[in-house]
Amino acid sequence: EKENKLSSSIAELTTESSSLQNEVTFWKDTHSSQGYCNTTLIREDSRRLVLNALASTKNGFAGTQQLFSEGVDGQVRFVQEQLIPKVEKAMGEACEMALETYNEITSKALVLYNDHLAAAINEKIVPVLDEHVYPVWNQKAVPLIDQCTDHVSPIVK
């Protein structure tokens, strides 16, 4: 009977030992895979990540600074000698075309205005402006504008 009890105890201990061994293996695997089971691991990995990123950024900036200092002279020369003259020429041509278009449209609009609107505006609208709008404008708005322009930069005036 003692033998049976001992055999039973040995069997239980072997089963428990096997179970404990499986649990130890599980935790060893968990630790080696660096799963985030607490904030310490998160903090350590985050710190390492940030330090690596900073080192990489410093190296990148150093290389960029060297490239920039080597290439900036050539780029400035390119801008001054090639780009600015081309932009000035294109802007001059665009301004000339815009002025031509403006003059053409204005002359056509002026003909239409004189043919169809000028008489009615001079007869109906101008007297109302002269009698009701301009006096109020001159008495109320102009003094306010003059008063406010005292506080405005001379460049804006």
Side-chain angles (χ1 to χ4, degrees):
E1 196 174 303
K2 274 187 171 184
E3 250 181 60
N4 282 341
K5 281 187 179 182
L6 285 175
S7 291
S8 174
S9 291
I10 289 174
E12 281 181 41
L13 289 173
T14 303
T15 304
E16 284 182 30
S17 173
S18 177
S19 174
L20 288 173
Q21 188 62 37
N22 287 340
E23 191 171 335
V24 167
T25 302
F26 169 79
W27 287 112
K28 282 182 179 179
D29 289 344
T30 300
H31 178 72
S32 67
S33 70
Q34 287 292 313
Y36 292 114
C37 38
N38 65 37
T39 56
T40 303
L41 292 176
I42 294 171
R43 189 185 80 227
E44 288 173 1
D45 283 351
S46 298
R47 182 175 182 274
R48 188 175 32 245
L49 175 70
V50 168
L51 291 176
N52 289 341
L54 284 174
S56 176
T57 302
K58 283 180 185 177
N59 293 339
F61 279 148
T64 301
Q65 182 180 11
Q66 182 180 359
L67 286 174
F68 181 75
S69 64
E70 292 171 358
V72 80
D73 287 337
Q75 291 176 357
V76 168
R77 221 175 306 112
F78 168 77
V79 168
Q80 289 175 337
E81 295 172 3
Q82 294 182 25
L83 190 60
I84 290 176
K86 287 180 182 178
V87 169
E88 286 175 343
K89 181 181 177 191
M91 289 300 294
E93 292 171 357
C95 287
E96 287 176 17
M97 289 175 55
L99 184 59
E100 289 172 14
T101 304
Y102 172 79
N103 288 335
E104 182 182 334
I105 291 171
T106 302
S107 63
K108 289 179 181 179
L110 191 55
V111 169
L112 290 172
Y113 173 81
N114 287 332
D115 289 349
H116 301 288
L117 295 173
I121 288 177
N122 289 336
E123 184 182 322
K124 303 287 183 184
I125 296 175
V126 171
V128 173
L129 290 173
D130 288 341
E131 185 178 342
H132 299 289
V133 176
Y134 292 141
V136 173
W137 176 262
N138 291 331
Q139 290 174 1
K140 304 288 183 182
V142 171
L144 286 175
I145 292 170
D146 290 342
Q147 184 181 15
C148 290
T149 56
D150 292 341
H151 306 290
V152 175
S153 167
I155 294 172
V156 177
K157 289 182 185 178

